Amino acid sequence: MEPTVITPLTAIADAVRGTLDADAFEPANRRLRLLDTIDRRLAARGWRLEVEPIADAPADTWRLVNGTGKVRAQAQIPHPPPRLADELPEGPLRRTLEPVIWIRSLIPGPWITVTEDGAALRDRDGKVRCRLVAQTAVTEGAGEQRSGVRVEPLKGYRRDSEKIAKRIATRFGWSPSGPDALTALAEALHAQSDESDEPSVTDAREAAGPALRVVLLALLDVIERRRVGVIADIDCEELHELRVAIRRTRSILSLLRTPEPDARLDHARETFAWLGRVTGPTRDLDVHILAWRAHRRQASAGDAAALEPFGRFLMDERAKAHAALTRTLATRRLASALARWRRALSGSEATWTRFEILRRPVGVLAGRRILKLYRRALQEGTGITPETPAEALHALRKTMKKLRYVIEIVRDVYPARRVRALLRTLRQLQQVLGDVQDMEVQAAALRRFGQVMGDSGTAGPATLMAIGAQAEDLEIHRAEARARFAEVFAPVAKPRFGKRLTALTRSGIGAPE
């Protein structure tokens, strides 16, 4: 581990310079913040996004820097700072960030003061043989600190710099290959969480009740964590991940259908069904806004300008929906229901084995459910033709979601390569089914929004035409997705896929009864 408190550079230089002389430079200070997404997409690539105020100007300098300190892209960004990459001005910074962070918001960290000292090591003839640079990064308020010393080699004197770097590593503990102070501080401030949003059963032979209770408890942690993120409105993916955790929870509760009423499970089913409903409207508007952003990026300058009033309308509607959702997520009703569910999950193991179905091996129980859902999917999908009503594809989509979630809940008990291949095929089909339904719903909603804006006078002819063009674009993509259905359903309908799925459910536990 790198040292956290820096030794004065003059002392370091004096200890490692050997026969060379050291000339110190004036220390330089700068103040900045680091931006990253909540899931640390930039840090995962070894990048950091620095935001440094420009003196006496309503703008900041944004620098995207890699782990070695090289600037990949930079730009001057006026206030207020954007949260999304596609809100940045066109240029290298936006083009570099956009494919990496996509729809995740950029979140500022605490203010950091960075101090840099420099020293030149010269020989007796006055020639500079290498330079030392010491950097200290300290967060304001919290006082978290990291430091680092690097040796900058000069052409023709690489051996000198290597000797000095080795001495620094031996005497003071700074590795030449280690991260600089700012990178190390960013890693300390945004340590990757060990918590997973996709907990899974690990032992197929364990009794279903106790095994799934552990997964349900982990999912409850996800729900609580994402609930906080939704209330804070970190970005739209927080709500999406909350809804996914809710659906995973409901999938497990469907597995645990006891022969007699169970108040704990019944109450949980009601709670999470309700929570799924109340989070829907805000998520729908998030999807509309994402579609609007995507369409605006591809539109001509004139059409993009005409779409701006529609974007403001969607943002206003979304703000109202989010405010209502925030009030719901902060209610005593929800807090009480989640606390009750946690108590049930934290109770004695005996309460999770009192019914015979809860004592069955979880692999057997899940295997039966997987094969049942697969047979239902075959029945629903085989009869679909180009003329089949959209409702049939929607029903198949719901079945495919349930099937995928059950497989994911027990994926860790199966051979990893085999389960990945099956899930990849299922996701491709689910994506097409989702496009068919979502784009149809979105196109209808756009026309409805256009009617509201036209009636209220908030949209002129150009905006209404642009909204209509976006709706037509969605209809085209929906038709294309519908045309792809047969192609992506065919691999799932093949007997070979069914045999692979059956073999997977039998992995290590014997055939389901």
Side-chain angles (χ1 to χ4, degrees), residues 286-301:
D286 281 338
V287 172
H288 290 311
I289 291 170
L290 291 173
W292 168 76
R293 288 184 181 280
H295 186 74
R296 184 186 58 172
R297 283 196 298 270
Q298 298 171 358
S300 66

Side-chain angles (χ1 to χ4, degrees), residues 218-295:
L219 283 170
L220 179 55
D221 291 338
V222 175
I223 289 169
E224 292 278 27
R225 189 168 68 248
R226 296 299 182 183
R227 179 174 70 135
V228 172
V230 172
I231 292 173
D233 205 13
I234 292 173
D235 63 27
C236 66
E237 286 299 283
E238 290 294 295
L239 178 55
H240 172 64
E241 296 297 340
L242 171 65
R243 286 172 58 79
V244 170
I246 292 167
R247 287 197 292 267
R248 291 182 192 279
T249 298
R250 295 182 68 189
S251 292
I252 295 176
L253 292 171
S254 294
L255 276 175
L256 299 176
R257 290 287 180 184
T258 55
E260 299 175 21
D262 186 310
R264 303 164 307 159
L265 299 180
D266 292 342
H267 184 264
R269 290 187 187 99
E270 293 173 4
T271 295
F272 293 112
W274 166 72
L275 196 52
R277 289 192 301 272
V278 299
T279 54
T282 306
R283 177 57 187 169
D284 290 344
L285 284 161
D286 281 338
V287 172
H288 290 311
I289 291 170
L290 291 173
W292 168 76
R293 288 184 181 280
H295 186 74

Side-chain angles (χ1 to χ4, degrees), residues 19-273:
T19 60
L20 301 176
D21 294 324
D23 295 336
F25 298 102
E26 273 301 312
N29 292 321
R30 58 195 181 105
R31 188 168 180 262
L32 54 85
R33 304 177 87 169
L34 300 179
L35 301 185
D36 205 341
T37 60
I38 191 69
D39 55 354
R40 303 180 72 249
R41 296 190 178 192
L42 299 181
R45 289 191 170 227
W47 298 353
R48 67 173 183 263
L49 182 57
E50 303 176 3
V51 176
E52 188 170 348
I54 301 173
D56 302 321
D60 301 318
T61 297
W62 289 37
R63 282 185 298 270
L64 184 62
V65 183
N66 65 16
T68 64
K70 181 180 178 181
V71 177
R72 297 181 60 91
Q74 70 176 29
Q76 290 189 5
I77 308 299
H79 297 159
R83 295 180 64 187
L84 300 174
D86 69 355
E87 295 175 344
L88 290 167
E90 183 56 48
L93 182 64
R94 173 174 168 171
R95 289 195 295 272
T96 306
L97 286 174
E98 206 164 2
V100 177
I101 68 173
W102 192 40
I103 59 175
R104 303 305 309 240
S105 294
L106 289 166
I107 301 168
W111 284 104
I112 298 171
T113 299
V114 180
T115 302
E116 288 190 346
D117 291 340
L121 301 186
R122 303 175 184 272
D123 60 20
R124 292 181 179 179
D125 296 327
K127 294 180 179 178
V128 178
R129 307 293 285 264
C130 67
R131 291 189 177 90
L132 303 183
V133 177
Q135 186 185 74
T136 302
V138 184
T139 59
E140 297 181 7
E144 187 77 27
Q145 176 173 316
R146 291 294 183 273
S147 60
V149 177
R150 69 178 185 271
V151 182
E152 295 181 347
L154 299 180
K155 188 175 181 180
Y157 299 110
R158 182 166 294 277
R159 289 188 63 187
D160 290 288
S161 64
E162 289 174 351
K163 288 179 182 177
I164 297 297
K166 186 175 181 180
R167 290 172 190 166
I168 289 174
T170 302
R171 293 284 300 274
F172 298 98
W174 281 288
S175 167
S177 60
D180 64 18
L182 200 49
T183 300
L185 183 60
E187 292 173 353
L189 292 174
H190 304 289
Q192 189 67 46
S193 172
D194 292 332
E195 299 171 315
S196 171
D197 276 5
E198 300 180 8
S200 169
V201 170
T202 57
D203 184 353
R205 294 184 177 85
E206 188 177 358
L212 292 173
R213 178 179 68 157
V214 173
V215 179
L216 286 167
L217 194 55
L219 283 170
L220 179 55
D221 291 338
V222 175
I223 289 169
E224 292 278 27
R225 189 168 68 248
R226 296 299 182 183
R227 179 174 70 135
V228 172
V230 172
I231 292 173
D233 205 13
I234 292 173
D235 63 27
C236 66
E237 286 299 283
E238 290 294 295
L239 178 55
H240 172 64
E241 296 297 340
L242 171 65
R243 286 172 58 79
V244 170
I246 292 167
R247 287 197 292 267
R248 291 182 192 279
T249 298
R250 295 182 68 189
S251 292
I252 295 176
L253 292 171
S254 294
L255 276 175
L256 299 176
R257 290 287 180 184
T258 55
E260 299 175 21
D262 186 310
R264 303 164 307 159
L265 299 180
D266 292 342
H267 184 264
R269 290 187 187 99
E270 293 173 4
T271 295
F272 293 112

Side-chain angles (χ1 to χ4, degrees), residues 429-451:
L429 175 56
Q430 190 177 330
Q431 180 64 52
V432 169
L433 291 168
D435 288 346
V436 171
Q437 184 198 9
D438 292 346
M439 292 182 183
E440 181 178 33
V441 171
Q442 288 175 41
L446 288 187
R447 295 188 177 95
R448 190 168 63 252
F449 293 150
Q451 183 69 44

